[in-house]
Amino acid sequence: MRAFVLTGHGDFSQLALAEVPAPDIRHPLDVRVRLKAGALNHLDLWTVRGLPGLTLEFPHILGGDGAGIVDAVGPGVTRVRAGDTVLFNPGISCYRCEQCLAGEHSLCVEYRLLGEHLPGTLAEYVVVPEPNVARIPQLPAPHAPLSFAEAAAFSLVALTAWRMLITRARLRPGETVLIWGVGGGVASAALRIAKLAGAFVIVTSSSDVKLARARELGADVTLNHTQVDVAREVRALTGRGGADVVVEHVGEATWDQSLRALGRGGRVVTCGGTTGSALAVDVRRLFWYQWDILGSTMGNAEEYREVVRLLGQGHLRPSIDSVFPLAEARRAFERLASGDHVGKVVVEI
Ligand SMILES: [Zn+2]
């Protein structure tokens, strides 16, 4: 099959279109999907560069998110069959360990991601376990049907943002949320989820174009973080009380401001640190204000079912920035790395 692969860690000169063996059904619960679209996430850029502890066999197929048509299933599969149109949760668990049996699939001791640890979705076929697969929902009128590109762009960011805000930070209606860097996929999914949850949402970006888009998606306040002191603005907007929840994924560049913006009993929840990972906290402020500092990664099967259910009601529909053919997938990586994208970058297969 044709696939877009990484031939070794480094830069985009290591990206190539290649002919590789198609994956086979190996386990009774395997589902093989003929992919129609794959979507990129920031994680794909990290995989190109190489991550500590990540050892890959090359050529390695990139891409975590995807959508397509079921092509073959193992003998134990009952929920989908050949011909079904599907999307899937790209976080693959063992479904056997103590964490998995307790329903905490993203804490699985063997947790792996498509495109990072496992062969990814920028290919004609991918194999995923049945518990990860969901049918692409039919939306009620007057919503237009979901395209494969939209379905492919949905899963990773919606699942991540849902667990961050709803499960980990326990966001409640009427609370104030600060979301950094709203151009990013997780941040933009977090904006939709926070509005759906009835929160007052403040978002930041360095781009006025991205802030205008965030207002269309319901952001209550938009701040250009290159022009204003975000923590001071949040304090002023909340009668000096501060935000109840801060959505972090930036790390060193924003951490201090995130804590200065955080109110009493506030929760800061993070899924990454793209600008650096060494963060400091003043323990006196931590205990006095009774803050929660929360880590979050992907989500479990129940959370995935919930975000797909909401998608089926017409909520959380992803925005697409651009779509590239598989043969030009390198341009998709360049687009993502430029930071100019507004919405998800998709590869059509
Ligand atoms: Zn497990």
Side-chain angles (χ1 to χ4, degrees):
M1 67 172 182
R2 286 188 315 148
F4 194 72
V5 300
L6 184 65
T7 56
H9 289 304
D11 56 25
F12 292 169
S13 67
Q14 302 280 5
L15 301 176
L17 191 66
E19 191 66 31
V20 299
D24 290 321
I25 300 283
R26 291 212 176 115
H27 183 277
L29 290 183
D30 278 351
V31 175
R32 188 164 84 162
V33 178
R34 182 159 63 83
L35 288 154
K36 302 293 281 182
L40 298 189
N41 292 286
H42 207 87
L43 177 66
D44 293 298
L45 299 180
W46 289 105
T47 306
V48 172
R49 273 175 237 151
L51 286 157
L54 177 66
T55 43
L56 295 177
E57 273 181 39
F58 297 107
H60 171 77
I61 304 171
L62 290 159
D65 272 319
I69 302 167
V70 173
D71 155 79
V73 298
V77 172
T78 57
R79 287 175 36 246
V80 291
R81 56 184 177 184
D84 284 348
T85 58
V86 292
L87 71 177
F88 43 81
N89 170 359
I92 309 296
S93 314
C94 75
Y95 297 103
R96 291 185 308 265
C97 73
E98 202 174 325
Q99 296 290 352
C100 282
L101 295 177
E104 284 299 356
H105 304 107
S106 61
L107 288 171
C108 174
V109 295
E110 291 175 28
Y111 197 58
R112 292 171 298 170
L113 298 177
L114 295 179
E116 184 182 357
H117 317 89
L118 295 169
T121 55
L122 301 186
E124 289 176 295
Y125 295 93
V126 70
V127 168
V128 279
E130 183 187 29
N132 284 67
V133 177
R135 280 202 194 80
I136 298 177
Q138 306 271 341
L139 302 193
H143 297 281
L146 289 165
S147 66
F148 280 114
E150 288 173 309
F154 177 73
S155 297
L156 187 144
V157 295
L159 179 62
T160 301
W162 182 266
R163 184 171 176 85
M164 288 177 81
L165 280 171
I166 304 301
T167 308
R168 301 289 284 145
R170 308 173 309 282
L171 180 65
R172 292 183 292 267
E175 289 195 314
T176 298
V177 183
L178 168 65
I179 301 171
W180 287 101
V182 75
V186 169
S188 137
L191 164 59
R192 288 174 169 87
I193 290 166
K195 285 313 297 176
L196 199 57
F200 181 81
V201 186
I202 304 167
V203 301
T204 89
S205 174
S206 59
S207 152
D208 290 331
V209 173
K210 292 178 182 182
L211 292 175
R213 177 67 186 136
R215 281 194 291 277
E216 289 169 15
L217 294 174
D220 296 288
V221 177
T222 57
L223 301 175
N224 187 319
H225 59 235
T226 64
Q227 287 165 20
V228 298
D229 180 324
V230 169
R232 183 177 300 165
E233 294 291 326
V234 171
R235 292 260 161 214
L237 286 160
T238 53
R240 307 214 60 73
D244 300 295
V245 173
V246 177
V247 173
E248 254 291 346
H249 53 95
V250 185
E252 284 177 20
T254 52
W255 184 251
D256 184 55
Q257 290 235 38
S258 290
L259 296 187
R260 286 203 291 120
L262 195 62
R264 290 165 186 264
R267 292 87 76 195
V268 52
V269 59
T270 180
C271 66
T274 46
T275 61
S277 55
L279 308 179
V281 58
D282 180 338
V283 72
R284 294 167 300 183
R285 295 167 71 209
L286 175 63
F287 76 72
W288 189 250
Y289 297 127
Q290 303 193 42
W291 287 336
D292 286 340
I293 295 176
L294 304 163
S296 197
T297 291
M298 300 292 288
N300 63 26
E302 189 187 338
E303 290 158 339
Y304 188 60
R305 276 194 300 277
E306 183 61 14
V307 290
V308 172
R309 190 184 69 78
L310 290 167
L311 178 67
Q313 294 179 346
H315 301 298
L316 312 183
R317 187 176 197 143
S319 311
I320 306 297
D321 171 80
S322 44
V323 181
F324 298 90
L326 184 63
E328 293 171 35
R330 184 182 171 145
R331 286 174 56 210
F333 278 81
E334 287 165 354
R335 177 73 185 160
L336 184 65
S338 76
D340 294 336
H341 57 290
V342 181
K344 299 289 288 179
V345 178
V346 174
V347 174
E348 225 164 27
I349 298 152

